[in-house]
Amino acid sequence: MSDNAKTIEALLYAEAREFSIVELAKLLQISKEAVREALEELKKSLEEHGIVVVEQGEAVSLGSHPSAAKIIESLRKEMLSKELTKAAAETLAVILYHPGISKPEIEFIRGVNASYSIRLLQMRGLIEQKHKEGDARVAVYTATSEALQHFGITSAAELPEFAALSEQLGTLLAHDKKI
């Protein structure tokens, strides 16, 4: 394994948080393409291990292997099931299928106020708030790698009917903006 891949693995492990591709490139003083190549190398080296590289857009972290999802889920299930309401689960689904969605857009899709659900999901570490690209005044939400791990997946693209539902949400939101 290359030094870049080893260093990225060490950073992801030691910090136990997401890093953006840009952040890793700056830390290692290499190009974004070199980071992506090192990440691919790291993914391959972890194929027979209990951890995987979890990608969420331009962010990466380490997570548990999907084969361990059931046992990990059983460990977390009691806490999450007590705290996660149906409304919060619906809100999380909307965010998973349409990353970078704003609170008003979530409320448009669900037809109800989403403040409590968003706050609950943030407290549980399942979503994070970012700023809309090009407009720092608009807050948008994305699922965290913990949310993906909770479902035993490494990418939102692994969700059932991801492409079709993401497209439908995009069409719905685009139609709403025209009104």
Side-chain angles (χ1 to χ4, degrees):
M1 185 163 45
S2 72
D3 286 343
N4 286 340
K6 289 176 186 176
T7 303
I8 290 172
E9 179 182 23
L11 285 169
L12 294 175
Y13 175 77
E15 292 296 311
R17 67 174 179 92
E18 290 183 346
F19 281 86
S20 71
I21 301 291
V22 171
E23 187 178 10
L24 289 171
K26 285 180 183 175
L27 285 168
L28 276 67
Q29 298 180 344
I30 58 175
S31 69
K32 291 189 292 186
E33 185 57 36
V35 168
R36 287 185 180 93
E37 289 172 10
L39 284 169
E40 287 304 314
E41 186 180 350
L42 178 57
K43 283 183 203 176
K44 287 181 182 179
S45 75
L46 294 175
E47 285 178 353
E48 300 298 320
H49 293 263
I51 58 174
V52 294
V53 174
V54 178
E55 295 180 84
Q56 180 69 8
E58 287 289 303
V60 295
S61 63
L62 289 180
S64 56
H65 193 280
S67 65
K70 287 184 182 181
I71 193 157
I72 291 170
E73 180 183 359
S74 69
L75 290 172
R76 295 180 178 169
K77 190 173 185 175
E78 187 176 335
M79 180 183 73
L80 287 175
S81 66
K82 286 182 180 178
E83 300 289 332
L84 205 57
T85 64
K86 181 180 176 189
E90 289 173 3
T91 301
L92 179 57
V94 170
I95 294 168
L96 279 165
Y97 280 96
H98 198 72
I101 191 168
S102 69
K103 181 178 176 276
E105 291 170 328
I106 294 167
E107 292 172 341
F108 172 76
I109 291 168
R110 292 199 55 244
V112 296
N113 184 308
S115 296
Y116 175 77
S117 295
I118 289 171
R119 186 171 54 247
L120 178 64
L121 292 169
Q122 284 179 303
M123 288 178 7
R124 305 291 336 109
L126 298 174
I127 64 169
E128 63 185 356
Q129 179 180 323
K130 297 182 178 183
H131 294 288
K132 186 174 185 176
E133 204 169 303
D135 190 352
R137 299 170 296 164
V138 178
V140 294
Y141 299 92
T142 59
T144 63
S145 58
E146 287 84 2
L148 297 176
Q149 289 177 37
H150 175 68
F151 293 110
I153 58 175
T154 61
S155 168
E158 295 175 31
L159 290 166
E161 300 178 40
F162 178 77
L165 290 172
S166 293
E167 184 178 330
Q168 288 174 353
L169 282 174
T171 302
L172 178 67
L173 293 172
H175 176 65
D176 176 50
K177 291 177 183 173
K178 291 179 186 177
I179 297 176

